[in-house]
Amino acid sequence: MSFEGYWPYVYIAVAGWLATDFWRWAGVLVGNRIDERSELLNWVRAVATALVAAVIAKMIFFPTGTLTSSPLWLRLGAVAFGAAAFFLGGRFRQILGIAAAIAFLATGLALLGA
Amino acid sequence: MTAETAPEPRSQTYWFLFGMRGLFSLPAIILMLSFVGFAAFTAEAKIPVGQVMFMTGMIWALPAKVILVGSMLSGAHIATAFLAVTLSSVRMMPMVASLVPEIRTGRTPTWLLLVVSHFVAITAWVFAMERVRDVPRAGRLAFFAGFGITLTTANIVLVGLVYGAVSEFPPLVSGCLFFLTPVYFLTSIWISARHRVIYWALGIGLALGWLFAVIAPEYDILLAGIVGGTLAWWGERMLRQREAVR
């Protein structure tokens, strides 16, 4: 699509803003009336998580930009190394997991001469 | 404030400022680095910086923005983009619905909750659910608003500032920044998961995200979400029922 004029802003407002805030507003209205243990909410949670997981998988398997030319094994290795640091990381697992994955990727890219 | 009230109640301004201070917490810093990565992603995709800042403020949730950018790049119809983004944002509803009872009082007007709900996204939600119990109930909405509004505003400005610089980053740096987003999401979802079904959905969604990207690239995210989520829910429910019988 063209990125000229006002159309992209309409596109972002409708397909982006309305599409996300609709659910936030629904969340407010449903509030504490929703049964936290209902099967429907469980299914909604699972679908929502799987959607984000699919986005993550696409970014790892089919990245855009400079990572397009990087080998898949390097990206998967970075995720595996990061996961190992995450599960051994204790209280600091989030920062350790992320740092380990990025360090692995950076080292690999440097060695491969990216 | 008179001297009668023994433990002097802190003002709404105090709690708003207290929330603002969350900008210097670890989750906020990781999110900002992810936004530098997002700026790099959009700069490489040649989306004008004004539109990138606009979507940062209007959508706020990073996965929804990544999906929207993907739709814009592939030239998807606005209705197709709406469907993909809205399905990825369904998770906002249970997130907001579980936060609202924590931050409101009996007198909180609904319109105020509707406005403040805009600032809910993974990071703000995890941050709030963790720390809101340390804040007295009357100050919680102000605390969350202070954090959410500050974090959103900071990232709009950040994206605008770094957008021009990221195209000049060496490939190694922009590659690592791009990779921060998926890695950050993986750790965040794992940490914020309150139910076993979330782990199942994450694993199955990752596998099906790859599979459908190969066999049905046009609808990969929708299919992986609905099929993967349903499989995870069904499998976890079967196991739960079996455990209940035992």
Side-chain angles (χ1 to χ4, degrees):
Chain A
M1 65 183 270
S2 158
F3 298 117
E4 303 287 315
Y6 69 91
W7 173 247
Y9 290 92
V10 175
Y11 193 98
I12 293 167
V14 173
W17 172 61
L18 280 179
T20 44
D21 265 8
F22 172 81
W23 292 110
R24 293 185 176 109
W25 298 332
V28 170
L29 299 180
V30 168
N32 56 354
R33 252 176 271 176
I34 198 166
D35 181 2
E36 274 291 320
R37 287 180 302 177
S38 76
E39 255 344 301
L40 178 68
L41 184 60
N42 252 341
W43 178 78
V44 168
R45 274 197 197 109
V47 169
T49 306
L51 272 163
V52 179
V55 176
I56 297 170
K58 275 195 89 173
M59 294 180 89
I60 294 169
F61 286 99
F62 309 101
T64 51
T66 50
L67 284 183
T68 314
S69 54
S70 67
L72 177 62
W73 62 261
L74 177 63
R75 283 175 265 133
L76 289 179
V79 172
F81 190 66
F86 178 80
F87 289 115
L88 298 172
R91 206 161 81 80
F92 303 104
R93 58 184 179 163
Q94 186 167 30
I95 190 73
L96 283 174
I98 293 170
I102 298 301
F104 190 99
L105 181 76
T107 309
L109 289 175
L111 291 175
L112 294 169
Chain B
M1 220 49 70
T2 55
E4 308 177 58
T5 45
E8 189 183 335
R10 310 267 195 185
S11 68
Q12 294 292 311
T13 314
Y14 173 87
W15 291 116
F16 190 89
L17 291 172
F18 189 73
M20 286 181 80
R21 231 178 49 182
L23 190 65
F24 302 103
S25 65
L26 178 67
I29 290 165
I30 292 171
L31 182 69
M32 285 190 275
L33 284 172
S34 297
F35 265 91
V36 174
F38 177 70
F41 169 55
T42 52
E44 279 179 3
K46 306 261 188 296
I47 296 184
V49 63
Q51 290 167 33
V52 179
M53 292 172 76
F54 183 68
M55 68 174 78
T56 301
M58 295 297 275
I59 303 172
W60 183 220
L62 203 44
K65 282 202 293 289
V66 171
I67 293 170
L68 183 75
V69 170
S71 303
M72 289 170 84
L73 293 178
S74 64
H77 190 272
I78 190 167
T80 314
F82 180 91
L83 190 63
V85 171
T86 209
L87 276 161
S88 84
S89 303
V90 176
R91 68 198 331 272
M92 294 295 168
M93 191 180 80
M95 283 161 68
V96 173
S98 57
L99 183 64
V100 161
E102 300 273 354
I103 62 171
R104 73 155 179 217
T105 67
R107 279 172 301 174
T108 308
T110 303
W111 66 264
L112 194 57
L113 288 168
L114 289 172
V115 171
V116 168
S117 76
H118 177 72
F119 302 97
V120 173
I122 301 176
T123 300
W125 184 79
V126 171
F127 180 90
M129 295 301 273
E130 271 175 20
R131 308 189 190 202
V132 84
R133 289 186 184 92
D134 302 332
V135 176
R137 181 161 286 276
R140 288 180 182 177
L141 189 66
F143 168 74
F144 179 74
F147 179 68
I149 293 170
T150 308
L151 192 62
T152 308
T153 310
N155 278 296
I156 296 171
V157 174
L158 180 71
V159 163
L161 288 176
V162 299
Y163 182 92
V166 283
S167 52
E168 302 181 8
F169 279 162
L172 193 150
V173 175
S174 55
C176 287
L177 285 172
F178 175 88
F179 212 64
L180 260 178
T181 304
V183 173
Y184 167 72
F185 281 157
L186 282 174
T187 58
S188 271
I189 292 173
W190 192 276
I191 289 170
S192 63
R194 297 275 189 278
H195 300 263
R196 183 171 60 187
V197 70
I198 300 297
Y199 303 114
W200 291 43
L202 181 62
I204 298 173
L206 285 170
L208 291 188
W210 167 79
L211 180 71
F212 285 120
V214 174
I215 62 173
E218 273 178 87
Y219 306 103
D220 49 2
I221 290 168
L222 288 185
L223 282 172
I226 294 168
V227 176
T230 305
L231 275 176
W233 167 78
W234 180 76
E236 198 272 341
R237 184 163 169 260
M238 294 284 281
L239 183 66
R240 201 167 357 113
Q241 287 170 342
R242 203 169 298 173
E243 285 169 348
V245 169
R246 208 175 290 155

